[in-house]
Amino acid sequence: EDKVVQSPLSLVVHEGDTVTLNCSYEVTNFRSLLWYKQEKKAPTFLFMLTSSGIEKKSGRLSSILDKKELFSILNITATQTGDSAVYLCAVEAVGWETSGSRLTFGEGTQLTVNP
Amino acid sequence: DTEVTQTPKHLVMGMTNKKSLKCEQHMGHRAMYWYKQKAKKPPELMFVYSYEKLSINESVPSRFSPECPNSSLLNLHLHALQPEDSALYLCASSRNRVNQPQHFGDGTRLSIL
């Protein structure tokens, strides 16, 4: 059974801090790893990672994947109160190309950024 | 606002009622998904439609009945639900090719009395 573990489960920081969120996985036939941000409603897509060692960056957020050690990190620099959310990691396995994709989610990291 | 639109945003129903949740997208995605999310838990996959055909049913009870009338629309018909079915129901869509992320709607918050 595919498994995704995120840590920490909860994190409280002050504005301006840098945070690192972790995601480890055990997946048969790994295809990709995705990060989502969820506030009150829809999970919002952040990154999709398929190759080891290639950093994806969007503004203050960046993420990297290590396929040998089976983990990914999501970094947020100069945090703002608007970064407060649950950050979800999900993995996708090979084999679903013609029938949609099947994501296995981790429990999420609840990030709170205080002013 | 997301490009996947779900209606209604909130729904309260009794255990004997029949209601439907609706999801619509106009991004040309040919894979659509229903998820159930309980408070402080990640989304759990319920159903996947690929090219308007049901491709994955995660052993969901028959009181949930999905329908995909066309490539833009996905419905979830509800009948005789239980209080434990109260949750946020999320719809998502994606291109039906490799390495294409799923995009989620804002969800319908369902309460069963």
Side-chain angles (χ1 to χ4, degrees), chain B residues 27-38:
Chain B
M27 295 181 281
H29 292 172
R30 301 304 295 275
M32 296 185 76
Y33 312 79
W34 280 116
Y35 288 85
K36 174 183 178 179
Q37 187 175 27
K38 301 283 274 186

Side-chain angles (χ1 to χ4, degrees), chain B residues 34-71:
Chain B
W34 280 116
Y35 288 85
K36 174 183 178 179
Q37 187 175 27
K38 301 283 274 186
K40 299 190 187 301
K41 290 291 183 184
E44 294 175 19
L45 183 66
M46 300 174 71
F47 302 104
V48 181
Y49 272 83
S50 174
Y51 296 104
E52 295 86 69
K53 287 186 171 35
L54 183 64
S55 59
I56 299 175
N57 176 342
E58 292 285 81
S59 303
V60 179
S62 60
R63 57 186 185 269
F64 295 91
S65 175
E67 180 197 18
C68 190
N70 60 58
S71 59

Side-chain angles (χ1 to χ4, degrees), chain A residues 30-89:
Chain A
F30 173 89
R31 173 171 293 288
S32 64
L33 184 144
L34 298 92
W35 285 97
Y36 287 87
K37 176 184 180 182
Q38 187 173 26
E39 297 172 82
K40 297 287 187 195
K41 299 178 182 177
T44 305
F45 171 70
L46 295 174
F47 298 113
M48 173 180 264
L49 302 150
T50 57
S51 302
S52 269
I54 298 175
E55 186 183 51
K56 293 264 181 118
K57 200 168 168 62
S58 175
R60 296 176 294 102
L61 278 66
S62 63
S63 183
I64 197 159
L65 174 67
D66 186 328
K67 289 168 75 172
K68 184 180 175 188
E69 300 297 330
L70 308 183
F71 78 90
S72 173
I73 59 171
L74 175 68
N75 280 322
I76 309 176
T77 58
T79 52
Q80 302 171 356
T81 54
D83 295 327
S84 296
V86 174
Y87 290 84
L88 292 164
C89 173

